[in-house]
Amino acid sequence: MSDERVFEGLAVSAGIAIGSAFVLDGARTQVAEIALDAAVVPDEITRFNGAVGKALRQLRRVKAKATTLPGAAAEEMNILLDAHMAMLSGSRLIRGVEKRIASDKINAEAALQREMDHLAQSFAAMADSYLASRVEDIREAGRRVLRNLHEGEAETLANLPEDSVLIAEDISPADTAQINPQMVQGLVAELGGRDGHSAIMARALDLPAVMGVTGLRHHCRAGDAVIVDGSEGKIVINPTAATLQKYRRARDRFKKDREALKSLRKLPAITSDGADITLMANLELPREVDRALEAGAQGVGLLRTEFLFMNRKTLPDEEEQFEAMRGIVQAMDGKPVTIRTLDLGGEKLSSAVDAGESANPALGLRAIRLCLRQPKLFETQLAAILRAAHFGPVRILVPMISSMEEIKQVRERLVAVHKRLQRRGDKIPDELPPLGVMIEVPGAALSADALAQVSDFFSIGSNDLTQYTLAIDRADEQVADLYNPLHPAVLRLIQFTTEAALRARIPISLCGEMAADPKLSALLIGLGIRELSMAPSRLPEVKRTIRGLSLLEATTYAGRVMSQSSEAVIREMINEAAQ
Ligand code: PEP
Ligand code: MG
């Protein structure tokens, strides 16, 4: 009898991957022991408690998700998760670790490892089968905390075996940044939404990915043959020979289509009636620059600088940031590079930056709010950007702006840093680079007229704009069906923002995931947007679509779409037009 099993999830990155399962369970073999000074012991205990708090939040999320499992499986999972949560709430394990950090003066990781070993030994000595089975719960809960202390699975993920398909509970953007796409064929996660940053990263690396696949890790073992259908959102474990053959053919077809699109590289993105559209690349990691050029990008429309701050405990200095940016600016060889200032917060965290604890991280001290509160952090980055601007055209883009005052403060700081670098004798442009605003907060979209007076350009961040307009976490698979950039409210904010930019005669682009969907090209162009920025792999298909459009027809079509008030009707109109 065949062992084949099929699971469904969210299709987040197109393509077919065939490989063997690498199931991430957070186990680590080595924990280094570090002696601490008495003075840093309280900080170490705080760090440990932070990792425990994070583990509890993760477990609550997994638990909420587990309710969707069928009958007995949900119950079984609940019991297990409750046990893990109990292990982490004021338990003997937690108290024991705190005590060890204080008395043995060692790092949290080592204290946790020692306490786990100690508890395991004393439970085993009781020769009680129930208690013996708790040992595994202690270890699993402890490993989760260890993983949080380590911040991601960096070392493991950088060295995955060839042809592996990574299967994890959750993949953070920092984890994804470590993946070597030459070795990894595809990604699967039990948690995560379609436009979360990990999904965006998977598309950036051009890895087929499916997310929100409940309970998958309990149904497959390391080394199982696995197929990831990132276009349809399907996972097949232990496929039969016939299934394997079907997917091999689909994979070859997908690759062939991609190859065919390469012929478009040098052709302009121009509509049939002569309107020029600028297609730019979004970069998450410097190594994508070559792909952007290969795809024929006319510049970088969004450089997410968070990569410089991930998987590390210390801040990158001005020199390091400058070198990374200069490399990208030079590689783009005279094409504009839009560098976005640090957008940390929400799901994008870094242990190098203390953003404090927030009950509501998506609404908390993040992005530009954090940068304005930490002037040194911000000014170091501005200095690096200004120095990189000596090597080619650079634009500065500021995330999460919600008011005119914020952008004015940013400009003041930029002017001050510019003067300081001039005094220092650095090579920087005489003029300040254009300073633009991400329109991704509904309040910013509604104040677009005022913001346009103090901005040199706009870039619409449709991912966050959708999240905040509809109050739906973009990275939460439980509400993924409600996350809809085609909701009339989101479209109206995009229209309002675009018209404000056109009135003020400042350039406007869109760099959220909507830009990468060829089905939406006619609508966005019809609304007046002439610049789109997207993952390099998406660019050729969008270009092909644009070359088949007429601006006149797109404008009429956008007018018809905008007169609708039902999401379902809009979706239908979009699908029909794409036929
Ligand atoms: C957006 O919000 O649409 C955007 C482009 O920024 P990010 O996805 O990095 O939040
Ligand atoms: Mg955003």
Side-chain angles (χ1 to χ4, degrees), residues 197 340 343 348 366 400 438 440 461 463-464 474:
H197 287 96
R340 185 173 70 182
D343 188 22
K348 291 183 284 190
R366 55 171 302 189
M400 293 287 297
M438 293 270 312
E440 52 184 348
N463 310 335
D464 278 317
R474 59 194 264 195

Side-chain angles (χ1 to χ4, degrees), residues 11-47:
V12 307
S13 180
I16 311 280
I18 302 174
S20 55
F22 185 96
V23 185
L24 204 65
D25 68 352
R28 275 173 188 273
T29 44
Q30 290 280 313
V31 168
E33 188 169 308
I34 303 166
L36 300 181
D37 260 3
V40 300
V41 160
D43 287 350
E44 191 63 3
I45 294 180
T46 309
R47 188 170 79 88

Side-chain angles (χ1 to χ4, degrees), residues 326-499:
R326 181 178 63 112
I328 293 169
V329 172
Q330 281 185 318
M332 290 310 289
D333 198 19
K335 298 184 176 69
V337 177
T338 314
I339 304 180
R340 185 173 70 182
T341 60
L342 189 58
D343 188 22
L344 276 190
E347 348 144 54
K348 291 183 284 190
L349 297 172
S350 159
S351 36
V353 182
D354 181 10
E357 271 283 318
S358 171
N360 239 327
L363 306 177
L365 191 59
R366 55 171 302 189
I368 193 56
R369 304 166 187 175
L370 176 71
C371 286
L372 287 172
R373 276 303 165 84
Q374 299 199 17
K376 188 157 182 299
L377 170 79
F378 193 36
E379 290 182 7
T380 303
Q381 184 167 53
L382 291 178
I385 298 176
L386 285 173
R387 287 174 60 198
H390 173 71
F391 295 89
V394 160
R395 311 190 286 205
I396 302 176
L397 180 59
V398 190
M400 293 287 297
I401 285 283
S402 55
S403 73
M404 268 176 108
E405 284 65 35
E406 277 172 333
I407 192 70
K408 282 185 186 162
Q409 281 181 52
V410 171
R411 199 179 288 277
E412 273 164 25
R413 287 205 198 280
L414 185 62
V415 169
V417 175
H418 189 257
K419 279 199 185 124
R420 181 159 57 77
L421 296 191
Q422 271 177 332
R423 278 200 303 275
R424 205 168 73 178
D426 280 304
K427 288 189 187 140
I428 54 168
D430 292 337
E431 301 281 323
L432 289 183
L435 180 64
V437 165
M438 293 270 312
I439 302 287
E440 52 184 348
V441 173
L446 291 167
S447 337
D449 280 307
L451 286 173
Q453 301 309 312
V454 288
S455 316
D456 300 319
F457 66 96
F458 280 167
S459 189
I460 300 177
S462 54
N463 310 335
D464 278 317
L465 191 60
T466 306
Q467 154 163 280
Y468 292 119
T469 304
L470 305 178
I472 289 163
D473 185 343
R474 59 194 264 195
D476 187 343
E477 66 295 332
Q478 298 177 88
V479 284
D481 55 328
L482 299 173
Y483 175 91
N484 178 16
L486 291 178
H487 188 293
V490 180
L491 294 183
R492 281 174 199 171
L493 290 176
I494 292 177
Q495 182 181 40
F496 188 82
T497 304
T498 308
E499 287 172 359

